[in-house]
C-alpha cells in the first residue's frame, strides 16, 4: 500500500462546486447586521435606514462587479430561486405571445424541474443536445427557434463537468429572432470567471448564488435587464421593486457582496492557481489509472473542476471509500448524489449507463494545495485498485487473472 495514503485523520474538501465555506471577511461584514444594525430595511427609523443603506450599497457593489446597473440586481434566496423565477416568471409574463421555451439537456435541476412544471402547464420545451464535451449544439438552437419561442435558458458553466458554454455566440443567435428572452444560469461561473453584462448585451437575465463564491448560504441574485418582461416571484410588500416581496436578508446580502468583491479581486491569480492544480490532478489520474476518462473538455472548463469516469467500478462505493480516507468528492451534482439514477449530464454527453455510474467529481477551492491533490490521487489509485480487485467485470474485460 502506498505509504502516503496511510495518513489517517486527513480531511480534504474537494466539493467546492457543491458549496464553499463562508470566508471570514464575509462573516465579519455580516455580524453587525445581526447584532446591532438589525432593523428591517423597509422601516423608516434609524435602524431601518442604516439597514437600507447597507442593502443598497451591497446591490451597487454586486452590480459593479458584473457591470450591471444596481436596479437590475434583485436579491433572492439563492440559485434555485433565481432560476425558478427566470423560467416561470418569464413564461407566465409572455404566455400570450407564445408557449415555446428552449434549454439544454445538461441544465441544473433548478432549470430542468421548472421546465417540467411549465410543460405540465401547457408550455412546450425543446431540450438541446450537447456534444461529447458538453457544448450546446448551436446549430440545433438556430433550427429550434420559432415564432412562438419566448425564452431560451442556457447555463454559463456546467456544475458537473465544468464545460463553459459559448454564451456570447448563443446570445447572438437568440437575438437574431425578435424578442426572445435569454436567461443564463451563472451559478457556477460567478466568482470563477469574469462576467461583464455590459458586454453580454444579449443576456436579459442571469442567476447567481452566494455560497458558490465563499459567501453565506441562502442568498443569491437574479440580474434582470431593464425592459425584460417577467412576473413577480413573490407578492406581498414592495421589496425588490415589488418583484420579490419579503423582508430582505440584509446580513446575507452584505456577506454576499463582500465575498463577491474579494472573489473578483482575487480571480486573476486564484483561477490560474486552481487551473494549474486541476491540470496536475487530471494529468496524474489519466496517466496513472487505467480505463479512466475525463468528462468535459480539457480547455474551456471551469478552473476548479475535474470529473472522471472510472470503468468497472461504481461511483457510490468509490465515494464512500474515498471519504473514509478523508477525501470529500462527489459522484455528480450534490442534489442528485442521493439518487441512484445516473447523472443526466453524463448521459447527455453520450456515456453509457454503466460508465455514467462510475463517475467522480473533484472540485478545488481556496484551501486546496498540491499536497492535497497528490494525496487524493494516491488514495484514488488505491481505492480503484481495491474495488477492481473485487470486480468480476474488470477481470473479465481486462483479462486480469
Ligand atoms: N444552478 C447551478 C448551475 C448550480 O450548480 C446550483 C447549485 O449547485 C444551482 C443552480 C442552485 O443553487 P442554490 O444551491 O443556491 O439553490
Amino acid at each position: 500500500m502506498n505509504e502516503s495514503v496511510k495518513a489517517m485523520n486527513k480531511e480534504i474538501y474537494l466539493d467546492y462546486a457543491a458549496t464553499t465555506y463562508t470566508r471570514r471577511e464575509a462573516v465579519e461584514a455580516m455580524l453587525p447586521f445581526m447584532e446591532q444594525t438589525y432593523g428591517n430595511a423597509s422601516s423608516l427609523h434609524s435602524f431601518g435606514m442604516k439597514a437600507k443603506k447597507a442593502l443598497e450599497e451591497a446591490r451597487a457593489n454586486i452590480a459593479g462587479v458584473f457591470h450591471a446597473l444596481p436596479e437590475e440586481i434583485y436579491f433572492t434566496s439563492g440559485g434555485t430561486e433565481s432560476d425558478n423565477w427566470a423560467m416561470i416568471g418569464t413564461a407566465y409574463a409572455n404566455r400570450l405571445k407564445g408557449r415555446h421555451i428552449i434549454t439544454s439537456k445538461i441544465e441544473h435541476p433548478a432549470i430542468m424541474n421548472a421546465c417540467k412544471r411549465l410543460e405540465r402547464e401547457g408550455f412546450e420545451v425543446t431540450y438541446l443536445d450537447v456534444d461529447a464535451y458538453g457544448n450546446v449544439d448551436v446549430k440545433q438552437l438556430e433550427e429550434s427557434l420559432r415564432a412562438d419561442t419566448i425564452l431560451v435558458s442556457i447555463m454559463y458553466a456546467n456544475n458537473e463537468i465544468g464545460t463553459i458554454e459559448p454564451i456570447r455566440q448563443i446570445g447572438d443567435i437568440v437575438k437574431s429572432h425578435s424578442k426572445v428572452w435569454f436567461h443564463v444560469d451563472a451559478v457556477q461561473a460567478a466568482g470563477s470567471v469574469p462576467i461583464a453584462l455590459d458586454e453580454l448585451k444579449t443576456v436579459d437575465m442571469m442567476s447567481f448564488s452566494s455560497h458558490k463564491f465563499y459567501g453565506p448560504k441562502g442568498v443569491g441574485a437574479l440580474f434582470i435587464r431593464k425592459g425584460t418582461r417577467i412576473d413577480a416571484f413573490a407578492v406581498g410588500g414592495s421589496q425588490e421593486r415589488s418583484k420579490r416581496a419579503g423582508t430582505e436578508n440584509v446580513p446575507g446580502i452584505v456577506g454576499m457582496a463582500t465575498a463577491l468583491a474579494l472573489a473578483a479581486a482575487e480571480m486573476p491569480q486564484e483561477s490560474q492557481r486552481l487551473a494549474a492544480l486541476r491540470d496536475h490532478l487530471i494529468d496524474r489520474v489519466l496517466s496513472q489509472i487505467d480505463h479512466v476518462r475525463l468528462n468535459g473538455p480539457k480547455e474551456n472548463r471551469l478552473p476548479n473542476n475535474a470529473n472522471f469516469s472510472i470503468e468497472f467500478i461504481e461511483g457510490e462505493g468509490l465515494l464512500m471509500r474515498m471519504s473514509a480516507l478523508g477525501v470529500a468528492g462527489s459522484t455528480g451534482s450534490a442534489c442528485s448524489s442521493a439518487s441512484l439514477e445516473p447523472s443526466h449530464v453524463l448521459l447527455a454527453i453520450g456515456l453509457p449507463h454503466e460508465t455514467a455510474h462510475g463517475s467522480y467529481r473533484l472540485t478545488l477551492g481556496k484551501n486546496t494545495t498540491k499536497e492535497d491533490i497528490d494525496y487524493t490521487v494516491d488514495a484514488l489509485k488505491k481505492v480503484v485498485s481495491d474495488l477492481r480487485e473485487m470486480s468480476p467485470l474488470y477481470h473479465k474485460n481486462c483479462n486480469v487473472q
Side-chain angles (χ1 to χ4, degrees):
M1 184 171 111
N2 190 320
E3 285 305 303
S4 62
V5 203
K6 272 203 260 170
M8 290 316 277
N9 66 24
K10 279 253 178 208
E11 265 210 305
I12 299 177
Y13 185 75
L14 290 174
D15 203 12
Y16 284 89
T19 197
T20 61
Y21 61 89
T22 308
R23 63 189 300 167
R24 171 64 44 192
E25 299 92 329
V27 174
E28 277 168 7
M30 291 166 74
L31 282 175
F33 295 95
M34 293 192 247
E35 294 173 332
Q36 292 117 34
T37 314
Y38 49 79
N40 184 319
S42 300
S43 299
L44 293 178
H45 45 62
S46 64
F47 290 77
M49 277 162 21
K50 280 187 208 152
K52 176 84 176 162
K53 184 165 174 281
L55 175 70
E56 294 313 326
E57 270 173 22
R59 195 189 309 280
N61 291 341
I62 290 171
V65 168
F66 295 126
H67 301 212
L69 299 173
E71 58 269 32
E72 293 173 324
I73 300 294
Y74 293 79
F75 291 114
T76 67
S77 68
T80 299
E81 182 183 317
S82 299
D83 283 352
N84 275 214
W85 183 8
M87 300 307 287
I88 296 166
T90 312
Y92 285 5
N94 296 275
R95 69 206 309 167
L96 294 180
K97 184 186 166 260
R99 287 179 159 253
H100 180 234
I101 293 165
I102 301 175
T103 188
S104 84
K105 286 187 178 163
I106 61 164
E107 300 297 312
H108 188 272
I111 296 289
M112 287 304 206
N113 288 329
C115 286
K116 296 275 173 281
R117 174 166 152 187
L118 289 167
E119 281 176 315
R120 287 194 295 276
E121 294 175 8
F123 288 86
E124 191 189 331
V125 183
T126 301
Y127 298 90
L128 299 176
D129 292 325
V130 296
D131 67 13
Y133 298 103
N135 298 299
V136 166
D137 186 336
V138 286
K139 194 159 173 290
Q140 195 189 10
L141 167 65
E142 220 157 0
E143 291 160 1
S144 304
L145 285 159
R146 316 189 309 216
D148 63 339
T149 308
I150 49 172
L151 171 64
V152 174
S153 179
I154 303 292
M155 68 204 321
Y156 203 118
N158 184 268
N159 46 305
E160 292 190 38
I161 59 174
T163 312
I164 298 177
E165 299 295 343
I167 288 304
R168 194 180 295 264
Q169 189 192 359
I170 292 171
D172 287 344
I173 295 171
V174 172
K175 293 295 171 178
S176 65
H177 278 245
S178 65
K179 276 282 177 249
V180 178
W181 304 110
F182 183 32
H183 167 252
V184 175
D185 175 347
V187 166
Q188 289 291 336
S192 264
V193 298
I195 297 176
L197 285 159
D198 56 346
E199 283 168 22
L200 287 174
K201 286 199 189 335
T202 56
V203 175
D204 300 304
M205 290 162 281
M206 191 174 269
S207 300
F208 305 110
S209 179
S210 154
H211 73 105
K212 306 293 185 181
F213 47 77
Y214 305 90
K217 294 173 181 51
V219 58
L222 181 64
F223 159 80
I224 306 177
R225 197 178 290 282
K226 269 189 172 168
T228 306
R229 193 187 296 169
I230 180 168
D231 275 3
F233 181 78
V235 291
S238 59
Q239 294 93 348
E240 301 301 292
R241 289 171 293 286
S242 298
K243 285 210 177 306
R244 199 275 189 182
T247 300
E248 298 92 343
N249 172 6
V250 176
I253 289 166
V254 167
M256 173 176 171
T258 305
L260 182 67
L262 289 165
E266 293 165 0
M267 194 185 293
Q269 294 85 353
E270 183 60 0
S271 63
Q272 246 187 34
R273 188 187 78 87
L274 289 173
L277 284 178
R278 172 203 65 190
D279 291 342
H280 176 62
L281 166 66
I282 292 173
D283 290 346
R284 274 202 66 193
V285 169
L286 293 185
S287 63
Q288 297 180 14
I289 305 178
D290 59 32
H291 295 91
V292 173
R293 59 161 274 163
L294 174 70
N295 294 317
K298 192 101 188 24
E299 309 292 325
N300 237 3
R301 77 183 293 141
L302 287 174
N304 73 333
N305 173 293
N307 185 313
F308 305 101
S309 280
I310 307 172
E311 300 263 18
F312 315 118
I313 59 155
E314 196 263 313
E316 311 286 314
L318 176 84
L319 184 92
M320 302 310 285
R321 282 179 178 241
M322 287 298 287
S323 174
L325 290 175
V327 180
S330 100
T331 57
S333 76
C335 323
S336 63
S337 63
S339 103
L340 288 178
E341 280 297 295
S343 137
H344 68 290
V345 176
L346 299 179
L347 295 181
I349 62 171
L351 296 193
H353 268 61
E354 318 81 74
T355 313
H357 266 303
S359 82
Y360 192 48
R361 181 187 73 175
L362 295 166
T363 44
L364 290 49
K366 286 177 74 60
N367 283 343
T368 312
T369 62
K370 180 161 181 291
E371 196 194 7
D372 293 340
I373 297 299
D374 283 327
Y375 174 86
T376 299
V377 178
D378 291 343
L380 191 61
K381 283 164 70 176
K382 173 176 162 37
V383 169
V384 169
S385 136
D386 288 354
L387 287 172
R388 282 181 176 165
E389 194 56 41
M390 300 184 288
S391 159
L393 260 182
Y394 180 65
H395 287 262
K396 189 167 151 238
N397 283 279
C398 299
N399 265 336
V400 182
Q401 299 307 312

